Amino acid sequence: MTTKVNKKTVSSFLKNILIMFRGTLIAQAITVFIGIYIAKLYGENAYGYFGFFISIVSVSSIIGTLQLENCIVTAKSKEESRQWFRFLTFSIPIVITLVFLLLMSFSMVIELEKLNSTILILAFFGSLLVTYNLKHQHLYTFDKRFLILSNTKIFTAFFTVLFQYLFYTSFPILGLIYGFCISQFTVLVFNFYQHNKNLGKINFNKIKTEIKTNSSIISYLLPSNVINSLGHNLMPILILFFFGVEKAGVYFFSTKILATPLFLISSSISQVYFKESIDLKKNKDRNLFKKTKKIVALNLVLMSCFVLVINTIGISILEYFFENQWADLRSFILILSFLIIARSTFNPISSLIVVLDKNKTGLFFNCYLFAINFIAIYLGAFLNDILVTVIVVSLFGGIGYLVLLNYFLKQLKNNK
């Protein structure tokens, strides 16, 4: 009987991964193949400002939920999950508004140029949209509605490139941002249509009790993930200020190209793995360590193959297509390949930080990544060579991820 149950669980796990993989594969194919044409259309400068915008949105969306969206997935009952969903619907606009009031105050102190101030305002609306969509994704995950979650990824990718293309003529610099925001809004309307029945009265006493129970999320996971996001997203902003918008655009586009399969793998596996690992840990199932090792090995093989292809045939095709645009793209992609491979081994299983309640460990690691970024930008600016910055970020960031992976595999092995 147990064997039959295990086989059924494994089958369901693989089926859900394939559903997510299909949606993410199509979405990434749209993003890459049409996105390369969009990149040629807009050029390095527009991508530099778009990278600035995405970096702010990425960090703000993490703060916006206070990382409590994880409680939607880890909830012990359907009603508890819905309570978190309702609470976040209420709290997200408040938190995002406070974040951007702080950012706007800071921008006045450092006297940002007018265009960057405009991007900050657009980033406010972009952050609201992205954060709300993130909340909906976690409710889909709790309900195991992976098919609809997969399809929303396809819709988001399609509408993003469509609107970015349509806005190019009227907005050759900010069209990328406008297209992104309208795409997120379109998907959000669909998400609210799917989940409108889950809106209702909030039991604030219950939420208060649950926040105390999950206090490590706010104490450790929130600052950890904020610092992690800053570690990943601060570099395009720093490069923009220290080396100019063109170099920021090349860096952002390089990471986007390299991270495409990483995002494909992470989006396909991470949400399914998150829910599965919670269930396996609750049941003290010994298969968690074995499944995790298989996922890590598969990720490593897939990413290594992609990196080999993109650094040989791929870069030659890109250089031919872009002609004289996107200088330094070859160097950036080659140097950043190590970091991307290392990240790919841990990112899809990063939910273990929450599942094993290792939020403090995650915080220490992300502080390390954050420090590496500042050291890298300082050395690059001091030597007036952006390649020094990229080398330091890739080398020491990659080593950090491999050490973190080894730590968590040991934790799983010891807890078998």
Side-chain angles (χ1 to χ4, degrees):
M1 183 70 179
T2 305
T3 305
K4 288 183 179 180
V5 173
N6 286 339
K7 285 183 178 179
K8 185 178 179 181
T9 302
V10 171
S11 176
S12 176
F13 179 67
L14 292 174
K15 180 183 176 182
N16 289 331
I17 285 180
L18 288 174
I19 288 171
M20 292 299 297
F21 185 82
R22 183 217 61 168
T24 314
L25 177 62
I26 296 172
Q28 288 301 292
I30 293 170
T31 301
V32 171
F33 293 111
I34 303 179
I36 288 173
Y37 172 73
I38 297 292
K40 183 177 182 179
L41 206 61
Y42 279 92
E44 299 98 314
N45 285 356
Y47 257 85
Y49 288 116
F50 186 50
F52 177 66
F53 166 83
I54 290 293
S55 295
I56 295 171
V57 169
S58 298
V59 176
S60 301
S61 61
I62 287 175
I63 301 173
T65 62
L66 301 177
Q67 291 301 282
L68 295 173
E69 80 277 13
N70 290 291
C71 296
I72 295 175
V73 183
T74 59
K76 299 178 182 67
S77 66
K78 185 175 180 179
E79 176 55 29
E80 183 184 325
S81 180
R82 268 55 184 172
Q83 279 296 326
W84 282 114
F85 179 82
R86 293 165 193 162
F87 174 72
L88 287 171
T89 303
F90 163 78
S91 66
I92 284 171
I94 298 172
V95 177
I96 291 290
T97 299
L98 291 174
V99 169
F100 274 86
L101 285 174
L102 184 63
L103 276 176
M104 292 301 287
S105 301
F106 180 70
S107 70
M108 291 176 185
V109 172
I110 63 174
E111 297 181 349
L112 282 178
E113 62 177 278
K114 186 178 179 181
L115 183 59
N116 287 351
S117 298
T118 303
I119 293 172
L120 276 179
I121 295 170
L122 291 171
F124 169 75
F125 294 104
S127 298
L128 275 175
L129 295 169
V130 169
T131 309
Y132 266 122
N133 281 327
L134 181 66
K135 176 196 64 160
H136 285 280
Q137 288 173 16
H138 280 71
L139 190 56
Y140 287 134
T141 301
F142 177 84
D143 293 335
K144 296 188 176 181
R145 298 175 70 189
F146 295 112
L147 180 59
I148 199 166
L149 183 57
S150 175
N151 288 336
T152 56
K153 293 181 182 296
I154 299 173
F155 297 149
T156 304
F158 173 75
F159 286 127
T160 299
V161 294
L162 173 64
F163 288 122
Q164 286 176 340
Y165 174 75
L166 293 175
F167 278 119
Y168 170 70
T169 304
S170 302
F171 307 100
I173 296 295
L174 296 179
L176 289 168
I177 297 174
Y178 290 139
F180 175 87
C181 288
I182 292 179
S183 170
Q184 289 291 325
F185 176 75
T186 305
V187 173
L188 182 59
V189 170
F190 171 78
N191 284 335
F192 266 117
Y193 173 76
Q194 290 291 321
H195 288 144
N196 68 85
K197 62 181 180 295
N198 294 309
L199 297 173
K201 187 178 180 181
I202 304 169
N203 187 337
F204 284 101
N205 290 328
K206 176 70 173 175
I207 291 295
K208 186 178 179 180
T209 302
E210 289 298 326
I211 287 176
K212 288 180 180 178
T213 303
N214 296 280
S215 59
S216 68
I217 287 180
I218 295 179
S219 301
Y220 297 115
L221 186 64
L222 175 60
S224 174
N225 284 350
V226 169
I227 293 169
N228 177 265
S229 186
L230 283 170
H232 292 312
N233 295 292
L234 193 62
M235 194 52 66
I237 299 174
L238 293 175
I239 290 175
L240 186 147
F241 283 111
F242 284 94
F243 295 100
V245 66
E246 185 178 319
K247 295 297 182 184
V250 176
Y251 180 88
F252 178 70
F253 186 66
S254 299
T255 54
K256 186 176 181 181
I257 289 290
L258 280 170
T260 294
L262 172 58
F263 182 77
L264 173 62
I265 294 168
S266 294
S267 297
S268 304
I269 295 173
S270 60
Q271 284 163 314
V272 180
Y273 178 82
F274 189 9
K275 183 63 177 171
E276 185 74 11
S277 59
I278 291 169
D279 294 340
L280 289 174
K281 186 174 183 292
K282 283 179 181 176
N283 298 325
K284 298 182 179 180
D285 196 313
R286 295 174 179 270
N287 287 321
L288 182 55
F289 175 63
K290 293 179 181 178
K291 281 186 179 181
T292 304
K293 279 206 309 181
K294 288 179 180 178
I295 288 171
V296 170
L298 178 62
N299 296 343
L300 182 60
V301 171
L302 290 175
M303 281 303 300
S304 297
C305 291
F306 170 79
V307 165
L308 180 62
V309 171
I310 196 65
N311 278 286
T312 51
I313 302 170
I315 190 61
S316 298
I317 294 172
L318 286 173
E319 287 178 337
Y320 175 79
F321 180 75
F322 286 133
E323 297 175 341
N324 295 323
Q325 291 180 297
W326 299 94
D328 293 326
L329 186 62
R330 178 184 287 267
S331 300
F332 277 40
I333 287 177
L334 179 61
I335 295 168
L336 290 168
S337 293
F338 174 67
L339 173 61
I340 294 298
I341 289 175
R343 276 178 61 188
S344 71
T345 61
F346 183 74
N347 269 28
I349 62 166
S350 60
S351 55
L352 284 174
I353 293 174
V354 177
V355 175
L356 299 181
D357 195 19
K358 295 294 181 181
N359 297 319
K360 189 182 289 187
T361 301
L363 175 60
F364 289 143
F365 172 71
N366 290 322
C367 286
Y368 164 79
L369 286 183
F370 187 68
I372 290 299
N373 276 268
F374 276 99
I375 293 170
I377 203 73
Y378 172 79
L379 290 174
F382 180 76
L383 298 171
N384 196 29
D385 188 350
I386 191 172
L387 290 182
V388 172
T389 293
V390 180
I391 289 169
V392 172
V393 167
S394 182
L395 179 62
F396 290 96
I399 291 172
Y401 273 106
L402 294 177
V403 170
L404 189 67
L405 170 68
N406 183 61
Y407 170 80
F408 273 95
L409 286 179
K410 282 185 176 179
Q411 289 294 311
L412 289 179
K413 187 176 181 180
N414 293 335
N415 291 332
K416 282 199 304 177

